[in-house]
């Protein structure tokens, strides 16, 4: 029955939100249903054993909305998230995070299409800067340019290695007039950097192009193209292994910890809460705009709101069964 239809519902029940739709034998939300949460958000779609599960539409009171697949109360599978500022992500989700292949449309007209991991650009992808027409095509690591890539401008492009959102190391400029200049980008410490030669360069350090010879444009053979593809794939695997290795110490520490006793009944019972994840943010140099998109940070508030709403709905789901 519809919770809204009950005229005898007291004020406390109304404050917990409303639900109408299917239920299972345990009176949990199950099947097609619609819920209005006490914060003003709404969800309409499939439930399974009290959790959002399957296809559904979650609408935030601030105008944001998610249309796509859920798995046990989390965005998981294919889905589209439209943020309050009008930016939009279409693609794969894993446990409430942008992960896999997807495309992000930023409010300033920029776009990114490629691989994601843990809510940030990671893997192979293409970022187009709408204001200049410049685009970066290549590898990303934790939201930044890193590895083999190309920075493509209107009448020339740079092909080479990137690190921390800037070209670094060997590469070449290829010009439309039919020539290419080989060289490398070297790190130039800032004037304020008083560190010794053995110290790591500071974040303020920049890179400088050291030009080499100019040659006619070389047309790659099939063997060279295959070698370049294999090098790019090897670089991608290296980044994945480094990311996995960075997580191992944390996992090992967690395994060594003795299990904590968590009350399951009584006033001290604890309900697990969903944690919101920070959005990836980056600053880009050497072509394109100085800031990217801007939609992800704003959109994060909407997703955090959903996480809080989910916690509220989890806590009150059992109470709905009596209605």
């Amino acid at each position: 029955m519809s919770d809204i239809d009950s005229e005898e519902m007291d004020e406390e029940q109304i404050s917990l939100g409303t639900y109408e739709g299917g239920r299972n034998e345990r009176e949990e939300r199950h099947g097609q249903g619609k819920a209005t949460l006490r914060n003003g958000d709404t969800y309409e779609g499939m439930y399974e054993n009290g959790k959002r599960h399957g296809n559904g539409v979650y609408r935030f009171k601030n105008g944001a909305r998610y249309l796509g697949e859920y798995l046990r109360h989390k965005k998981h599978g294919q889905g589209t998230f439209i943020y309050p500022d009008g930016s939009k992500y279409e693609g794969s989700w894993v446990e409430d995070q942008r992960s896999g292949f997807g495309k992000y449309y930023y409010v300033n007209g920029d776009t990114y299409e490629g691989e994601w991991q843990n809510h940030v650009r990671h893997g192979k992808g293409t970022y187009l800067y709408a204001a200049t027409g410049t685009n970066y095509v290549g590898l990303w690591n934790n939201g930044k340019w890193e590895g083999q890539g190309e920075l493509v401008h209107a009448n020339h492009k740079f092909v080479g290695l990137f690190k921390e959102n800037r070209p670094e190391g060997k590469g070449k400029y290829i010009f439309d007039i039919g020539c290419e200049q080989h060289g490398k980008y070297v790190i130039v410490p800032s004037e304020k950097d008083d560190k010794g030669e053995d110290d790591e360069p500071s974040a303020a350090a920049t890179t400088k192009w050291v030009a080499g010879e100019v040659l006619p444009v070389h047309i790659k053979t099939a063997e060279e193209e295959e070698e370049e593809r294999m090098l790019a794939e090897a670089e991608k695997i290296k980044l994945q292994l480094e990311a996995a290795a960075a997580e191992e110490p944390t996992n090992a520490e967690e395994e060594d910890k003795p299990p904590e006793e968590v009350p399951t009944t009584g006033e001290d019972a604890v309900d697990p809460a969903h944690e919101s994840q920070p959005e990836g943010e980056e600053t880009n140099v050497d072509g394109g705009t100085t800031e990217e998109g801007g939609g992800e940070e704003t959109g994060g508030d909407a997703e955090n709101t959903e996480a809080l709403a989910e916690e509220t709905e989890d806590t009150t789901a059992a109470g709905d069964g009596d209605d």
Side-chain angles (χ1 to χ4, degrees), residues 1-5 18-25 27-36 43-48 50 313 320-323:
M1 87 181 228
S2 168
D3 294 336
I4 303 176
D5 293 338
T18 60
Y19 171 76
E20 56 181 349
R23 296 185 184 273
N24 60 17
E25 64 278 4
E27 285 300 311
E28 297 171 325
R29 300 173 186 183
H30 194 85
Q32 183 72 27
K34 181 177 181 179
T36 300
Y43 171 77
E44 185 171 5
M46 298 302 296
Y47 284 89
E48 184 175 289
E313 189 177 8
D320 294 335
D322 299 327
D323 300 323

Side-chain angles (χ1 to χ4, degrees), residues 6 18 62 109 186 208 212 215 226 248 256-257 266-267 274 297 308:
S6 177
T18 60
N62 64 2
V186 297
K208 177 182 178 181
L215 301 170
E226 178 64 16
E248 286 181 1
D256 292 338
K257 288 183 181 179
E267 296 180 357
H274 297 284
E297 182 176 358
L308 293 173

Side-chain angles (χ1 to χ4, degrees), residues 22-252:
R23 296 185 184 273
N24 60 17
E25 64 278 4
R26 295 186 297 275
E27 285 300 311
E28 297 171 325
R29 300 173 186 183
H30 194 85
Q32 183 72 27
K34 181 177 181 179
T36 300
L37 284 69
R38 64 178 180 180
N39 67 351
D41 296 351
T42 64
Y43 171 77
E44 185 171 5
M46 298 302 296
Y47 284 89
E48 184 175 289
N49 299 325
K51 303 288 186 182
R52 291 190 283 274
H53 190 94
N55 285 299
V57 179
Y58 192 107
R59 298 179 186 275
F60 300 83
K61 64 179 180 180
N62 64 2
R65 58 192 182 276
Y66 171 77
L67 307 85
E69 297 177 290
Y70 280 90
L71 179 68
R72 293 187 293 275
H73 231 44
K74 293 185 177 181
K75 296 183 287 291
H76 193 99
Q78 294 298 306
T80 298
F81 200 111
I82 302 172
Y83 294 88
D85 63 359
S87 57
K88 178 174 67 173
Y89 171 79
E90 297 177 338
S92 179
W93 297 80
V94 176
E95 295 190 346
D96 271 344
Q97 303 289 298
R98 293 188 292 269
S99 288
F101 189 88
K103 187 171 184 178
Y104 201 112
Y105 301 83
Y106 296 88
V107 68
N108 66 350
D110 292 358
T111 61
Y112 170 78
E113 185 172 13
E115 296 174 304
W116 297 77
Q117 182 175 295
N118 298 329
H119 241 26
V120 297
R121 297 178 282 274
H122 189 90
K124 189 174 183 180
T126 299
Y127 193 106
L128 172 64
Y129 298 88
T132 62
T134 297
N135 63 80
Y136 171 78
V137 184
L139 295 175
W140 298 73
N141 183 30
N142 199 29
K144 296 181 178 181
W145 307 342
E146 187 161 328
Q148 187 71 29
E150 298 183 5
L151 194 59
V152 184
H153 302 281
N155 56 7
H156 70 282
K157 66 180 179 179
F158 172 78
V159 181
L161 297 174
F162 291 81
K163 187 175 183 180
E164 292 289 327
N165 276 345
R166 65 191 181 195
E168 184 176 320
K170 293 183 178 180
K172 61 182 178 180
Y173 278 96
I174 302 175
F175 301 91
D176 290 352
I177 58 176
C179 64
E180 59 186 32
Q181 183 182 59
H182 294 245
K184 62 180 179 180
Y185 274 96
V186 297
I187 296 176
V188 179
S190 64
E191 295 180 0
K192 296 181 180 180
D193 193 353
D194 296 326
K195 295 183 178 180
E197 294 182 357
D198 296 333
D199 293 328
E200 290 291 328
S202 68
T206 59
T207 56
K208 177 182 178 181
W209 175 246
V210 178
E213 57 183 337
V214 177
L215 301 170
V217 171
H218 172 68
I219 306 300
K220 295 178 184 177
T221 64
E223 291 78 9
E224 289 173 327
E225 289 182 347
E226 178 64 16
E227 181 181 359
E228 187 174 286
R229 185 193 67 78
M230 292 178 67
L231 287 172
E233 186 66 24
E235 183 69 21
K236 178 181 174 181
I237 294 172
K238 177 186 174 184
L239 293 176
Q240 292 174 342
L241 292 174
E242 289 176 350
E247 294 178 359
E248 286 181 1
T250 303
N251 295 335

Side-chain angles (χ1 to χ4, degrees), residues 277-321:
Q277 298 291 334
E279 297 288 345
E281 193 67 27
E282 68 181 69
T283 303
N284 291 286
V285 297
D286 200 66
T289 56
T290 56
E291 295 183 3
E292 289 189 1
E296 292 184 59
E297 182 176 358
T298 305
D301 295 336
E303 295 185 62
N304 293 340
T305 302
E306 181 182 8
L308 293 173
E310 288 173 353
E311 181 180 354
T312 301
E313 189 177 8
D314 286 342
T315 306
T316 60
D320 294 335

